[in-house]
Structures are given as structure tokens and as C-alpha cells.
Amino acid sequence: MIRTALLLLFTLVVIPVFTYYFDDPLQPEIQSVLTGLFYIAGAIAVYCFVVGELTKNYSQVDKLWSISPLIYAWYIAHSVGYTERSVLMAVVVSLWGARLTYNFARRGGYSWKFWTGEEDYRWPVLREMAPLNRPWVFSLFNLLFISGYQNALILLFTLPALYAVQTNTPLNWLDYTAAFFVLFFVVIEFIADQQQYDFQTEKHRRIKAGIPLEGKYEKGFVAEGLWSVVRHPNYMAEQSVWISFYFFSVAASGNWLNWSVSGALLLVILFKGSSDFSENISAGKYPDYKEYQQKVPRFIPFTK
């Protein structure tokens, strides 16, 4: 996980900078919008770091993961006068955010004490691992990766919305195709998360009631429905949402490869590392998980 974090920090600098300087320069008014986005993202990152350090709940970024892109997308739409494409992109981001916010809220992610709520189960595990088990080292990890990198990534995978408003080209078939696939994968995420939620709710109900875990609950992890097709259907769909979102920038510019692709690429790298770490934990908890890994592909269906 630490090596993955270092790789992500490196790619956070290299990929966006390389792609930015080898593409067409931004128009001055668009550059001004980008500067405003940097200030907003920086303020959010500082907030997450400070609150995480004060409360020792390091899931502050998780609470805002589904909200920050809405802020960015609507800020862009407002800045360019609510053009058709900017509004369409902001609307599909809002639908994505509403679903994810709902799912996070029902799992206890939010509280009236806004700094509390469910913490990602991986952070306590990491806090026990050397060298992160030293408080100052974990604080540095919080600054650079949890709060810094993740908030920068959220901004980056939303930036096709900025790239797409540089031109006044009318909406075309690729815009509608991108919107369709964003919403399609949002539905896949909803189904996958609902299946996970139903399974875990019933499993913990049985444990609390002293009922033996039998049948599909005996394994301890969900392996039915979409989870029998790929091991991480929610992660697969999340990556696909933002890859699809990138194609709005292609529709607007005609450039099939442009600098706003960096966010989607970095998100793919992040989910690879994140799934590696979570699967190591699952394989240690559940005896049947390694067999599940052998039978079911990670992200792409029918690849085994």
C-alpha cells in the first residue's frame, strides 16, 4: 500500500503536467476558472487534513468524495454561463453524486457531528503497519496521500468538464453516448452496492441474533449477483463512470487524447492499489476468498 501511495504521488505530478504542457494552451478565461478550482480543492484538502488530525477519523475525504465533483462541475457551468454541455455534464455528475452520497449515508458515513461517522476500515489497519505506526509518519501520510492526493485526484477526474467548455461546439452524438454510459455505470454501482448492503445487513443480523451463518453467508463475503461476475463491480463501475465522463471532452474538442484524461488514468491506478490492499485483508479474514479470487476476475468480466 505504501509503495502504491508513492507511485500515485509520482504519477499525480508526472501525468497531469506532461499531458497539460503537450496539449493546446488554455484560454485566459478558462485558466482563470482552473485557478479558482485549485483554490477550492486546496481548501477542501486543508480542511480534511486538519479535521482528520484533530479527530483521528481519517475518512474526511470519503465524506466529500461524492460532493466535491458536484461543486467543481457546477462552478465550471456557472463560470461559463451555463452552456448546454456544461449543464449536461453537471447534471450527470449530480446524479452520480446523489447515488454515492445516499449509499455512504446509509452505512453511517455522516453524523450531525460532521467530523465523526464511519471510518474506512483500511486506515486503522495501515496505522498498525510500520512505518505508518509512528504518529508523525501517519500524519505525513494523511497530508500527502489521504487529504492531498485524493482531493487532487477528485479534481482531476472532474476536469474534462473544464476542457469541454473551451469550445462552443454544439452537443453531438458522442455527448449523448457519454451521458448514457455514465448513467449506465451509475446504475451498475447502485445494484452492486445494494447487493453488498443486503448481504452484509443480513449477515450481521444473523451474527447478532446468534443464528449460524449458512448457505451463501457461510463464506462471510458476497459472491452472488454482480459479485459473481467480477470481484469489485462497484470499483469497476466507478472507474467506468469517469472514463465515460472523459469522452465529453472528446465530443467538444475532437481530440481523442487530451490532458483531461489524466484524472481517469490516475483513478484506475488508485483502484488497482486499493483493491490489492482490501483483497489482502479479505484473504486473511475469509478462508474461501482465495478460491473466489481464482474463479472470478477482478474488474473485467469473462477475463478468466
Side-chain angles (χ1 to χ4, degrees):
M1 184 66 178
I2 296 173
R3 285 181 296 179
T4 300
L6 293 173
L7 173 63
L8 290 171
L9 289 169
F10 175 75
T11 54
L12 177 65
V13 175
V14 173
I15 293 179
V17 170
F18 180 84
T19 54
Y20 178 85
Y21 281 103
F22 280 82
D23 206 336
D24 295 331
L26 293 179
Q27 302 161 9
E29 59 272 22
I30 300 299
Q31 182 67 58
S32 176
V33 178
L34 180 60
T35 300
L37 291 168
F38 283 152
Y39 283 133
I40 296 171
I44 293 173
V46 170
Y47 165 83
C48 290
F49 172 72
V50 172
V51 174
E53 288 299 307
L54 291 176
T55 65
K56 303 307 177 185
N57 181 328
Y58 294 98
S59 282
Q60 304 307 317
V61 178
D62 297 337
K63 300 176 190 299
L64 298 175
W65 187 283
S66 60
I67 299 171
S68 297
L70 278 69
I71 296 172
Y72 302 145
W74 285 108
Y75 175 81
I76 293 168
H78 174 74
S79 299
V80 300
Y82 298 103
T83 62
E84 287 185 346
R85 182 172 283 110
S86 68
V87 171
L88 175 60
M89 298 180 78
V91 167
V92 298
V93 169
S94 297
L95 293 173
W96 164 87
R99 186 216 67 82
L100 186 55
T101 301
Y102 164 73
N103 188 63
F104 188 69
R106 68 174 174 172
R107 288 171 27 224
Y110 298 110
S111 168
W112 69 272
K113 294 181 180 179
F114 60 89
W115 59 91
T116 64
E118 181 186 59
E119 184 181 34
D120 190 313
Y121 69 93
R122 290 167 294 190
W123 301 143
V125 174
L126 278 175
R127 287 200 297 271
E128 299 300 319
M129 296 172 58
L132 294 177
N133 54 356
R134 288 178 283 182
W136 73 268
V137 177
F138 197 85
S139 293
L140 184 62
F141 179 75
N142 179 24
L143 175 65
L144 295 179
F145 180 73
I146 299 177
S147 300
Y149 178 86
Q150 291 193 113
N151 274 299
L153 173 61
I154 293 169
L155 174 59
L156 283 174
F157 64 62
T158 315
L159 284 184
L162 181 64
Y163 193 95
V165 299
Q166 292 185 101
T167 66
N168 294 318
T169 56
L171 293 175
N172 57 61
W173 68 271
L174 191 52
D175 289 290
Y176 299 121
T177 302
F180 169 81
F181 277 106
V182 169
L183 298 179
F184 172 77
F185 286 114
V186 166
V187 171
I188 295 296
E189 282 188 291
F190 177 82
I191 295 171
D193 283 339
Q194 187 64 47
Q195 290 173 346
Q196 177 75 269
Y197 182 82
D198 290 343
F199 179 90
Q200 295 296 338
T201 299
E202 177 61 17
K203 184 183 81 170
H204 287 288
R205 185 195 70 81
R206 293 184 177 206
I207 292 173
K208 187 176 180 179
I211 302 172
L213 297 179
E214 299 176 337
K216 64 182 181 180
Y217 300 103
E218 189 174 2
K219 291 181 178 180
F221 58 90
V222 60
E224 306 286 325
L226 292 177
W227 300 83
S228 67
V229 180
V230 291
R231 300 197 301 273
H232 302 279
N234 49 351
Y235 285 4
M236 177 277 293
E238 181 72 359
Q239 296 170 75
S240 300
V241 162
W242 294 106
I243 292 171
S244 301
F245 189 75
Y246 164 73
F247 281 96
F248 281 110
S249 71
V250 177
S253 66
N255 296 329
W256 287 89
L257 185 62
N258 62 71
W259 61 261
S260 69
V261 75
S262 59
L265 293 178
L266 290 169
L267 190 67
V268 170
I269 297 173
L270 175 68
F271 275 116
K272 169 61 169 63
S274 179
S275 61
D276 282 342
F277 185 57
S278 62
E279 289 202 339
N280 285 337
I281 296 174
S282 296
K285 289 173 60 178
Y286 308 117
D288 293 329
Y289 197 82
K290 290 183 178 179
E291 181 182 358
Y292 174 64
Q293 288 175 300
Q294 295 297 317
K295 291 182 176 180
V296 180
R298 186 187 305 230
F299 295 136
I300 303 175
F302 315 117
T303 54
K304 286 188 179 181

